[in-house]
Amino acid sequence: MKVIRTIRELREELWIQRSHGQRLSLVPTMGYFHEGHLSLMDLAREKSDFVVVSLYVNPTQFGPNEDLACYPRDFIRDERLARERGTDVLFYPDNQEIYPDSFCTYVVPEKLANVLCGRSRPTHFRGVTTIVAKLFNIVQPDLAVFGRKDAQQAIIIKRMVSDLNFPIEIVVAPIVRESDGLAMSSRNTYLSPAERQQAPVIFQALTKAVELVQKGERRSAFIEKKISQMIVTADLARIEYIQVVSEKDLQPVEKVEPGTFMAVAVWFGKTRLIDNLELMTM
Ligand code: AMP
């Protein structure tokens, strides 16, 4: 595995790979790898000949009072894990490489970015689409892999690819969970032992929602109420949103049906956790 820090060097390397007819994939990440990230690398490996993983803590997707400065970082460990997982290139640029002082052009998603996480993080998705569009132009992969953990992000990226005609296949990988159901996230390291102990309530509640649907319940409002009652039994949990939404446009739906899913954001102390689950399969 090569660690490459500049766009120029990366382009030279990829030009060679492309000229040998290699199918290229990209896995964009902010590092501090866990099994969720590694599963994306595995999927990229399976579906392509040459895997590029980018590791960049993208400042434009953090709000002014968010955790950019303390976001967990461990390059040495990440490098080892990516290598062990068969990554070909780890692209690890610095801020000047990505956002030189003259930088002033953004990709701004509209409707899909104003709901769910976009309500409390109004500039977040503009930062995500901007960095992902830049990475797509830098790497020009045949396919890119994202995690379902960030369902809204994956949906916005797919929309961007379609709206802006990027010739890139978007693959969405399933959520990888801890053995107690908590969705893996680099931010789980912020949780205190007491918060960590209570955090699995999110997945337990989502599982309960599936059970309700399996028993015939379809009313979103009723399910959302039940789920919220269950989550607040954890005294450290503070709900930001619980919503059944349409996969197509992320708008709330009155009835659970194929093509809808439940999305939640819950705070434990200073840590904001998100999760989601399809309540009914297609
Ligand atoms: P991040 O480093 O948090 O920006 O995540 C990089 C990629 O990994 C994104 O596409 C995430 O959706 C994905 N990802 C993060 N956590 C998980 C998880 N638990 N399961 C599957 N994918 C994940």
Side-chain angles (χ1 to χ4, degrees), residues 149 175-178 180-185 188 203 273-275:
K149 155 82 179 0
I175 301 176
V176 177
R177 299 179 179 281
E178 302 285 356
D180 59 10
L182 177 64
M184 288 193 183
S185 164
N188 291 350
F203 183 62
L273 301 178
I274 57 170
D275 203 340

mmCIF file of all heavy atoms in Angstrom, residues 149 175-178 180-185 188 203 273-275:
data_model
loop_
_atom_site.group_PDB
_atom_site.id
_atom_site.type_symbol
_atom_site.label_atom_id
_atom_site.label_comp_id
_atom_site.label_asym_id
_atom_site.label_seq_id
_atom_site.Cartn_x
_atom_site.Cartn_y
_atom_site.Cartn_z
ATOM 1 N N LYS A 149 -24.914 3.499 7.496
ATOM 2 C CA LYS A 149 -24.955 4.153 8.812
ATOM 3 C C LYS A 149 -25.361 5.616 8.650
ATOM 4 O O LYS A 149 -26.150 6.152 9.424
ATOM 5 C CB LYS A 149 -23.577 4.015 9.465
ATOM 6 C CG LYS A 149 -23.207 5.029 10.485
ATOM 7 C CD LYS A 149 -23.779 4.687 11.809
ATOM 8 C CE LYS A 149 -23.435 5.647 12.910
ATOM 9 N NZ LYS A 149 -22.614 6.780 12.591
ATOM 10 N N ILE A 175 -24.935 -1.434 7.719
ATOM 11 C CA ILE A 175 -24.395 -0.909 8.991
ATOM 12 C C ILE A 175 -23.695 -2.028 9.757
ATOM 13 O O ILE A 175 -24.268 -3.101 9.946
ATOM 14 C CB ILE A 175 -25.537 -0.339 9.868
ATOM 15 C CG1 ILE A 175 -26.280 0.776 9.123
ATOM 16 C CG2 ILE A 175 -24.994 0.164 11.212
ATOM 17 C CD1 ILE A 175 -27.484 1.348 9.872
ATOM 18 N N VAL A 176 -22.480 -1.762 10.208
ATOM 19 C CA VAL A 176 -21.775 -2.719 11.074
ATOM 20 C C VAL A 176 -21.984 -2.268 12.513
ATOM 21 O O VAL A 176 -21.842 -1.086 12.839
ATOM 22 C CB VAL A 176 -20.276 -2.779 10.727
ATOM 23 C CG1 VAL A 176 -19.540 -3.713 11.670
ATOM 24 C CG2 VAL A 176 -20.089 -3.235 9.282
ATOM 25 N N ARG A 177 -22.363 -3.245 13.359
ATOM 26 C CA ARG A 177 -22.728 -2.931 14.747
ATOM 27 C C ARG A 177 -21.818 -3.630 15.742
ATOM 28 O O ARG A 177 -21.242 -4.676 15.450
ATOM 29 C CB ARG A 177 -24.181 -3.369 15.011
ATOM 30 C CG ARG A 177 -25.174 -2.660 14.127
ATOM 31 C CD ARG A 177 -26.617 -3.104 14.358
ATOM 32 N NE ARG A 177 -27.483 -2.337 13.458
ATOM 33 C CZ ARG A 177 -27.869 -1.087 13.677
ATOM 34 N NH1 ARG A 177 -27.518 -0.479 14.799
ATOM 35 N NH2 ARG A 177 -28.620 -0.447 12.798
ATOM 36 N N GLU A 178 -21.730 -3.061 16.947
ATOM 37 C CA GLU A 178 -21.085 -3.744 18.064
ATOM 38 C C GLU A 178 -21.971 -4.927 18.450
ATOM 39 O O GLU A 178 -23.136 -5.003 18.046
ATOM 40 C CB GLU A 178 -20.949 -2.797 19.271
ATOM 41 C CG GLU A 178 -20.154 -1.530 18.988
ATOM 42 C CD GLU A 178 -18.645 -1.766 18.894
ATOM 43 O OE1 GLU A 178 -18.179 -2.907 19.128
ATOM 44 O OE2 GLU A 178 -17.938 -0.801 18.558
ATOM 45 N N ASP A 180 -23.575 -5.542 21.022
ATOM 46 C CA ASP A 180 -24.824 -5.141 21.697
ATOM 47 C C ASP A 180 -25.715 -4.278 20.806
ATOM 48 O O ASP A 180 -26.707 -3.711 21.274
ATOM 49 C CB ASP A 180 -24.518 -4.427 23.020
ATOM 50 C CG ASP A 180 -23.664 -3.168 22.830
ATOM 51 O OD1 ASP A 180 -23.468 -2.745 21.667
ATOM 52 O OD2 ASP A 180 -23.201 -2.611 23.838
ATOM 53 N N GLY A 181 -25.381 -4.152 19.532
ATOM 54 C CA GLY A 181 -26.280 -3.476 18.590
ATOM 55 C C GLY A 181 -25.903 -2.038 18.287
ATOM 56 O O GLY A 181 -26.378 -1.473 17.297
ATOM 57 N N LEU A 182 -25.074 -1.417 19.105
ATOM 58 C CA LEU A 182 -24.705 -0.018 18.850
ATOM 59 C C LEU A 182 -23.989 0.088 17.498
ATOM 60 O O LEU A 182 -23.030 -0.650 17.246
ATOM 61 C CB LEU A 182 -23.792 0.505 19.972
ATOM 62 C CG LEU A 182 -23.281 1.941 19.793
ATOM 63 C CD1 LEU A 182 -24.427 2.955 19.808
ATOM 64 C CD2 LEU A 182 -22.251 2.299 20.868
ATOM 65 N N ALA A 183 -24.466 0.990 16.644
ATOM 66 C CA ALA A 183 -23.818 1.171 15.339
ATOM 67 C C ALA A 183 -22.399 1.695 15.565
ATOM 68 O O ALA A 183 -22.196 2.632 16.341
ATOM 69 C CB ALA A 183 -24.614 2.162 14.496
ATOM 70 N N MET A 184 -21.423 1.073 14.908
ATOM 71 C CA MET A 184 -20.036 1.529 15.087
ATOM 72 C C MET A 184 -19.883 2.936 14.548
ATOM 73 O O MET A 184 -20.462 3.298 13.519
ATOM 74 C CB MET A 184 -19.083 0.592 14.366
ATOM 75 C CG MET A 184 -18.965 -0.724 15.072
ATOM 76 S SD MET A 184 -17.579 -1.643 14.418
ATOM 77 C CE MET A 184 -17.771 -3.145 15.357
ATOM 78 N N SER A 185 -19.107 3.732 15.271
ATOM 79 C CA SER A 185 -18.846 5.107 14.863
ATOM 80 C C SER A 185 -17.571 5.573 15.548
ATOM 81 O O SER A 185 -17.323 5.212 16.708
ATOM 82 C CB SER A 185 -20.015 6.003 15.293
ATOM 83 O OG SER A 185 -19.630 7.364 15.248
ATOM 84 N N ASN A 188 -18.130 7.052 18.906
ATOM 85 C CA ASN A 188 -18.486 6.274 20.105
ATOM 86 C C ASN A 188 -17.412 6.404 21.180
ATOM 87 O O ASN A 188 -17.688 6.210 22.361
ATOM 88 C CB ASN A 188 -18.688 4.792 19.765
ATOM 89 C CG ASN A 188 -19.940 4.567 18.922
ATOM 90 O OD1 ASN A 188 -20.746 5.480 18.741
ATOM 91 N ND2 ASN A 188 -20.084 3.365 18.385
ATOM 92 N N PHE A 203 -30.626 0.926 19.185
ATOM 93 C CA PHE A 203 -30.869 -0.221 18.304
ATOM 94 C C PHE A 203 -32.008 -1.087 18.845
ATOM 95 O O PHE A 203 -32.821 -1.615 18.076
ATOM 96 C CB PHE A 203 -29.593 -1.047 18.121
ATOM 97 C CG PHE A 203 -29.783 -2.198 17.172
ATOM 98 C CD1 PHE A 203 -30.125 -1.976 15.850
ATOM 99 C CD2 PHE A 203 -29.631 -3.508 17.607
ATOM 100 C CE1 PHE A 203 -30.306 -3.032 14.966
ATOM 101 C CE2 PHE A 203 -29.811 -4.570 16.728
ATOM 102 C CZ PHE A 203 -30.153 -4.332 15.408
ATOM 103 N N LEU A 273 -25.462 10.602 18.413
ATOM 104 C CA LEU A 273 -25.418 9.313 17.714
ATOM 105 C C LEU A 273 -26.557 9.255 16.710
ATOM 106 O O LEU A 273 -27.682 9.687 17.015
ATOM 107 C CB LEU A 273 -25.553 8.165 18.722
ATOM 108 C CG LEU A 273 -24.493 8.095 19.829
ATOM 109 C CD1 LEU A 273 -24.785 6.928 20.773
ATOM 110 C CD2 LEU A 273 -23.091 7.950 19.247
ATOM 111 N N ILE A 274 -26.275 8.699 15.525
ATOM 112 C CA ILE A 274 -27.360 8.501 14.562
ATOM 113 C C ILE A 274 -27.438 7.020 14.205
ATOM 114 O O ILE A 274 -26.457 6.286 14.323
ATOM 115 C CB ILE A 274 -27.183 9.352 13.274
ATOM 116 C CG1 ILE A 274 -25.849 9.055 12.588
ATOM 117 C CG2 ILE A 274 -27.318 10.822 13.573
ATOM 118 C CD1 ILE A 274 -25.736 9.673 11.200
ATOM 119 N N ASP A 275 -28.632 6.628 13.803
ATOM 120 C CA ASP A 275 -28.832 5.236 13.396
ATOM 121 C C ASP A 275 -30.078 5.197 12.522
ATOM 122 O O ASP A 275 -30.846 6.179 12.458
ATOM 123 C CB ASP A 275 -29.008 4.354 14.640
ATOM 124 C CG ASP A 275 -28.664 2.884 14.373
ATOM 125 O OD1 ASP A 275 -28.658 2.479 13.198
ATOM 126 O OD2 ASP A 275 -28.443 2.141 15.348
#
